Amino acid sequence: MAEPLFDMSATGRPRILILGGTTEARQLGERLATDPRYDAALSLAGRTADPRPQPLPTRVGGFGGAEGLAVFLREENICLLVDATHPFAARISHNAATAAAATGKPLFALRRPAWEAQPGDRWTRVASVAEAVSALGAAPRRVFLAIGRQEAFHFEKAPQHSYLVRSVDPVTPPLNLPDATAILAHGPFAEADELDLLRQQAIDVIVAKNSGGTATYGKIAAARKLGLEVVMVERHKPADVPTVSTCDEALERIHQFLSPVKDRGV
């Protein structure tokens, strides 16, 4: 029998479910793990084959859409849902908003701000990975593909380019491209290391998602120094839920939601 996700002896402590998979989710989990006021747990989508150890009890895998998540929220008596998923995990964010509305459970998102273009950046902004393929143009180029593995298959439509593909886990099935080299690596990536990589690989253009944060910003700063183009896939409009951008703000929002009424002065 599987171990219960929440502390069955923690009666009276409000339960928090964090939809995680990001640095921010881990940081928030570390803070909540030592906070005796709450009983918190993490949920990971399971897209990474060997996820790092987490600071809170963790479940791995989907819920079965918004309806399945709503059932879980009710059955586990969740008091607060925190969406701390990747900025490009649009489906789970949509499901979280739908499930919270259906169950009446409070929800907020912990979402790091997007990167902003700086002087010297050469960004070509696109709305999707599919658009990024077209933005590379017809002439052969040496492309650093730094978008993860889930959507790399789109670039099979542009086989004239040479690709350096970096992801945490292997792209499966392997890309059907005449010239594609894979690198398996987990951030953070330092700017100096990214500069070396771009130079050694003679990269002409980078394709990246505007995920924000510091862990993968090194390639953006390195591209600026080298004067390289970055095809930047911008975020979709997020679900219409309250959003904070730091762990401290998230903890303050949690206390606002879950502290006793008398502590809120209401």
Side-chain angles (χ1 to χ4, degrees):
M1 180 179 297
E3 291 292 326
L5 186 61
F6 291 92
D7 184 355
M8 304 305 290
S9 66
T11 55
R13 288 166 54 184
R15 291 181 173 181
I16 303 170
L17 180 65
I18 304 170
L19 305 178
T22 59
T23 300
E24 292 76 18
R26 181 180 178 81
Q27 291 171 343
L28 180 59
E30 289 172 347
R31 300 281 289 274
L32 290 175
T34 57
D35 193 324
R37 294 174 294 179
Y38 311 116
D39 188 14
L42 274 164
S43 177
L44 304 179
R47 292 179 177 175
T48 301
D50 187 23
R52 294 177 175 180
Q54 299 295 324
L56 291 172
T58 304
R59 70 177 297 281
V60 178
F63 292 93
E67 183 177 345
L69 178 55
V71 170
F72 185 90
L73 296 177
R74 291 190 185 101
E75 291 184 346
E76 293 294 331
N77 194 28
I78 304 300
C79 299
L80 174 63
L81 181 62
V82 181
D83 176 10
T85 58
H86 192 274
F88 281 83
R91 179 176 297 178
I92 184 59
S93 292
H94 173 76
N95 289 345
T98 301
T103 59
K105 305 289 186 179
L107 161 72
F108 73 88
L110 171 55
R111 194 83 70 227
R112 55 183 178 254
W115 297 320
E116 298 290 342
Q118 304 298 316
D121 282 332
R122 295 177 54 211
W123 288 9
T124 298
R125 301 175 187 269
V126 296
S128 68
V129 172
E131 286 189 21
V133 178
S134 300
L136 292 176
R141 307 174 79 180
R142 181 70 175 154
V143 182
F144 180 29
L145 206 56
I147 60 168
R149 65 188 179 96
Q150 297 291 327
E151 297 181 274
F153 69 89
H154 285 285
F155 293 86
E156 292 179 346
K157 295 180 179 179
Q160 72 272 27
H161 305 300
S162 298
Y163 294 95
L164 179 67
V165 185
R166 182 167 69 191
S167 57
V168 175
D169 296 313
V171 178
T172 53
L175 293 176
N176 183 21
L177 287 166
D179 188 358
T181 302
I183 298 177
L184 299 182
H186 199 300
F189 302 105
E191 179 182 337
D193 294 334
E194 299 290 68
L195 276 167
D196 289 342
L197 178 66
L198 296 175
R199 287 174 173 144
Q200 291 168 6
Q201 296 292 331
I203 296 299
D204 299 315
V205 57
I206 299 172
V207 180
K209 291 181 175 180
N210 196 336
S211 56
T214 60
T216 61
Y217 188 71
K219 62 180 178 289
I220 307 302
R224 184 186 308 127
K225 284 190 174 180
L226 296 175
L228 299 182
E229 179 188 2
V230 177
V231 177
M232 184 68 75
V233 183
E234 296 291 1
R235 302 178 185 182
H236 291 166
K237 186 179 185 301
D240 187 17
V241 300
T243 301
V244 299
S245 58
T246 69
C247 186
D248 285 341
E249 291 174 351
L251 290 169
E252 182 178 351
R253 183 63 62 94
I254 287 170
H255 185 64
Q256 289 173 354
F257 274 125
L258 299 181
S259 62
V261 172
K262 63 180 179 63
D263 287 348
R264 297 202 298 263
V266 177

